[in-house]
């Protein structure tokens, strides 16, 4: 978010919430500048639909057994 009189100095408040169970299906995440439309940026998360469907149709695994994509690993 850019600096403004009502919000103070420039800060990043952009984030996405998802269950750790679903993280293996995330393959990309980016922040899109939306200064023309809003004082908050857009967060776009891209998901592998097949992996997401598989995860939603099976019971959660213990966290130690859940493979995490390299991108999600860097975000931890």
């Amino acid at each position: 978010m850019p600096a403004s009189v009502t919000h103070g100095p420039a800060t990043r408040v952009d984030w996405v919430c998802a269950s750790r169970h679903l993280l293996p299906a995330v393959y990309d995440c980016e922040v899109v500048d939306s200064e023309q439309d809003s004082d908050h940026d857009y967060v776009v998360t891209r998901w592998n639909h097949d992996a997401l469907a598989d995860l939603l149709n099976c019971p959660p695994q213990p966290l130690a057994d859940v493979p995490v994509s390299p991108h999600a690993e860097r975000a931890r």
Side-chain angles (χ1 to χ4, degrees), residues 4-29:
S4 74
V5 174
T6 58
H7 290 83
T11 58
R12 294 235 49 105
V13 294
D14 313 311
W15 54 288
V16 174
C17 292
S19 166
R20 283 180 170 238
H21 172 69
L22 302 179
L23 284 179
V26 175
Y27 69 87
D28 190 32
C29 185

Side-chain angles (χ1 to χ4, degrees), residues 7-53:
H7 290 83
T11 58
R12 294 235 49 105
V13 294
D14 313 311
W15 54 288
V16 174
C17 292
S19 166
R20 283 180 170 238
H21 172 69
L22 302 179
L23 284 179
V26 175
Y27 69 87
D28 190 32
C29 185
E30 69 176 299
V31 177
V32 178
D33 181 11
S34 64
E35 195 169 333
Q36 299 293 334
D37 303 316
S38 172
D39 58 354
H40 294 276
D41 291 335
Y42 303 117
V43 180
V44 179
T45 307
R46 291 181 179 81
W47 300 74
N48 177 299
H49 294 127
D50 292 332
L52 181 60

